[in-house]
């Protein structure tokens, strides 16, 4: 019916199906855990299960085409001028989704609505969503997908059952990466860099993320040795769409160095502080701050860390 699941996805799916079929799952579900672990894929497969697609080939074709009348998925929509996607989910979207949930199902007795990423819902939309959660209709399912569930208000989280996605055992993750066609050595290196996250390691191996990580490490080393000007590095790091990923790699490399330098507590504390600063700078990139100036300040601090 659909692509084969990774082992950790299959475990979560089986547990959820058992709860659904036994009546132990309510109308609201929060699928949470690190990004790139397959939460959306599991949610969609669960929707197909609830909507009986396995028993109805036409319903399955409609679902695959994105036109099943009893399934609605909400995500980022374009801005009013159409130049880009919004960075948050807004109240009009929640109201539209809630209205669809009240309609009579056209196939079977159920309707499913999916919100992804739910942790991007703005304040006004959260209030509208809370009303929908408090007034469930029989046979209606509202599922939220969130990599950062703590960004959701406690009032919403408390009204949802959680379905947690966790990093799989190292050997399982490594075997899965090799099954995706990655060489053993490259898979092991990427998995270690991703701190055991197979989805992230797979993405880095496919999109050049590991090469970018090596380039970031080389730049940090060159800056520390005085071989690369901080201003030049800041321009390089913010000159394309990879600035946030560079900062993620930089923060992780600092954390790795801090862990390796436990015999020098002062240096480790400086590295940990810089790790925090790198993550704050990455968050700043989503605002109107000038990226090159923010990264310049961060890299100037790196010089002092490594002094």
């Amino acid at each position: 019916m659909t692509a084969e699941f990774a082992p950790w996805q299959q475990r979560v799916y089986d547990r959820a199906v058992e709860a659904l079929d036994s009546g132990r799952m309510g109308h609201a579900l929060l699928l949470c855990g690190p990004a790139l672990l397959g939460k959306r894929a599991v949610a969609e497969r669960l929707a197909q299960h609830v909507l009986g697609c396995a028993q109805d080939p036409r319903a399955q074709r409609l679902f695959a085409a994105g036109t099943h009348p009893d399934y609605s998925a909400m995500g980022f929509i374009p801005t009013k001028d159409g130049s880009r996607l919004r960075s948050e989910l807004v109240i009009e979207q929640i109201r539209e989704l809630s209205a669809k949930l009240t309609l009579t199902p056209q196939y079977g007795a159920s309707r499913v609505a999916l919100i992804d990423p739910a942790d991007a819902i703005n304040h006004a939309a959260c209030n509208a969503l809370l009303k929908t959660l408090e007034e469930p209709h029989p046979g209606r399912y509202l599922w939220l997908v969130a990599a950062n569930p703590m960004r959701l208000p406690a009032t919403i989280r408390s009204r949802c059952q959680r379905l947690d996605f966790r990093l799989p055992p190292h050997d399982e993750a490594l075997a899965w990466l090799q099954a995706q066609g990655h060489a053993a050595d490259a898979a092991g290196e990427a998995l270690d860099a991703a701190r055991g996250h197979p989805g992230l390691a797979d993405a880095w191996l496919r999109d050049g993320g590991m090469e970018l990580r090596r380039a970031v490490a080389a730049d940090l080393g060159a800056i520390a040795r005085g071989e690369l000007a901080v201003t030049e590095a800041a321009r390089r790091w913010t000159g394309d769409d990879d600035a946030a990923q560079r900062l993620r790699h930089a923060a992780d490399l600092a954390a790795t160095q801090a862990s390796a330098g436990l015999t020098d507590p002062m240096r480790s504390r400086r590295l940990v502080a810089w790790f925090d600063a790198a993550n704050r700078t990455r968050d700043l990139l989503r605002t109107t701050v000038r990226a090159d100036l923010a990264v310049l300040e961060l890299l100037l601090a790196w010089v002092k860390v490594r002094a």
Side-chain angles (χ1 to χ4, degrees):
M1 182 168 63
T2 48
E4 183 179 353
F5 275 155
W8 62 89
Q9 295 169 332
Q10 189 68 52
R11 287 192 293 271
V12 174
Y13 175 79
D14 290 344
R15 190 166 67 248
V17 166
E18 182 182 2
L20 280 166
D21 292 349
S22 64
R24 292 184 287 106
M25 184 174 289
H27 73 290
L29 181 64
L30 175 59
L31 298 93
C32 50
L36 299 178
L37 279 183
K39 299 185 294 298
R40 177 67 177 260
V42 170
E44 290 179 345
R45 185 82 65 86
L46 287 173
Q48 293 174 65
H49 177 77
V50 168
L51 297 173
C53 291
Q55 294 77 39
D56 187 342
R58 183 167 182 266
Q60 175 58 31
R61 288 194 296 272
L62 288 171
F63 193 97
T67 56
H68 195 295
D70 297 331
Y71 174 73
S72 303
M74 189 184 88
F76 292 124
I77 59 174
T79 55
K80 290 183 178 180
D81 63 7
S83 62
R84 57 186 175 83
L85 292 178
R86 290 178 178 267
S87 59
E88 60 183 13
L89 307 183
V90 297
I91 190 170
E92 292 81 9
Q93 292 176 272
I94 296 295
R95 287 172 174 167
E96 180 181 354
L97 199 72
S98 298
K100 289 180 179 179
L101 278 176
T102 66
L103 299 175
T104 301
Q106 296 187 36
Y107 288 82
S110 300
R111 276 187 172 272
V112 178
L114 177 67
I115 302 176
D116 178 23
D119 42 7
I121 298 175
N122 68 20
H123 179 71
C126 278
N127 289 336
L129 177 62
L130 183 60
K131 183 178 180 181
T132 300
L133 289 170
E134 290 175 335
E135 301 174 359
H137 292 262
R140 308 308 195 266
Y141 296 91
L142 179 56
W143 295 340
L144 283 62
V145 176
N148 298 291
M150 294 307 294
R151 291 181 180 173
L152 287 165
T155 50
I156 288 178
R157 297 197 310 272
S158 66
R159 286 166 173 77
C160 300
Q161 288 177 258
R162 285 179 63 118
L163 197 59
D164 289 297
F165 287 67
R166 297 184 174 87
L167 297 183
H170 184 275
D171 289 349
E172 180 178 278
L174 186 60
W176 179 81
L177 284 170
Q178 292 178 253
Q180 308 313 301
H182 301 301
D185 290 347
E189 180 189 8
L191 189 61
D192 288 343
R195 298 186 179 273
H197 189 320
L200 187 57
D202 180 56
W204 285 350
L205 287 166
R206 293 182 186 280
D207 66 11
M210 288 303 294
E211 288 80 1
L212 189 68
R213 183 184 181 88
R214 295 185 192 102
V216 167
D219 284 351
L220 290 176
I223 291 170
R225 295 188 299 272
E227 298 170 359
L228 175 63
V230 172
T231 52
E232 171 59 26
R235 282 194 296 270
R236 183 187 302 172
W237 283 25
T238 57
D240 54 27
D241 295 331
D242 293 328
Q245 191 172 357
R246 285 189 180 90
L247 291 176
R248 176 174 187 159
H249 285 309
D252 187 66
L253 289 164
T256 300
Q257 290 186 30
S259 298
L262 295 179
T263 55
D264 186 347
M266 182 64 71
R267 181 170 178 272
S268 292
R269 284 195 291 269
R270 290 200 300 266
L271 285 165
V272 169
W274 195 87
F275 165 86
D276 291 336
N279 285 323
R280 288 196 300 272
T281 303
R282 183 156 57 100
D283 290 338
L284 282 174
L285 297 187
R286 294 195 291 266
T287 71
T288 57
V289 71
R290 275 188 56 178
D292 58 337
L293 295 181
V295 172
L296 176 62
E297 181 179 356
L298 177 70
L299 295 179
L300 286 170
W302 177 253
V303 175
K304 296 178 182 178
V305 168
R306 295 304 305 269

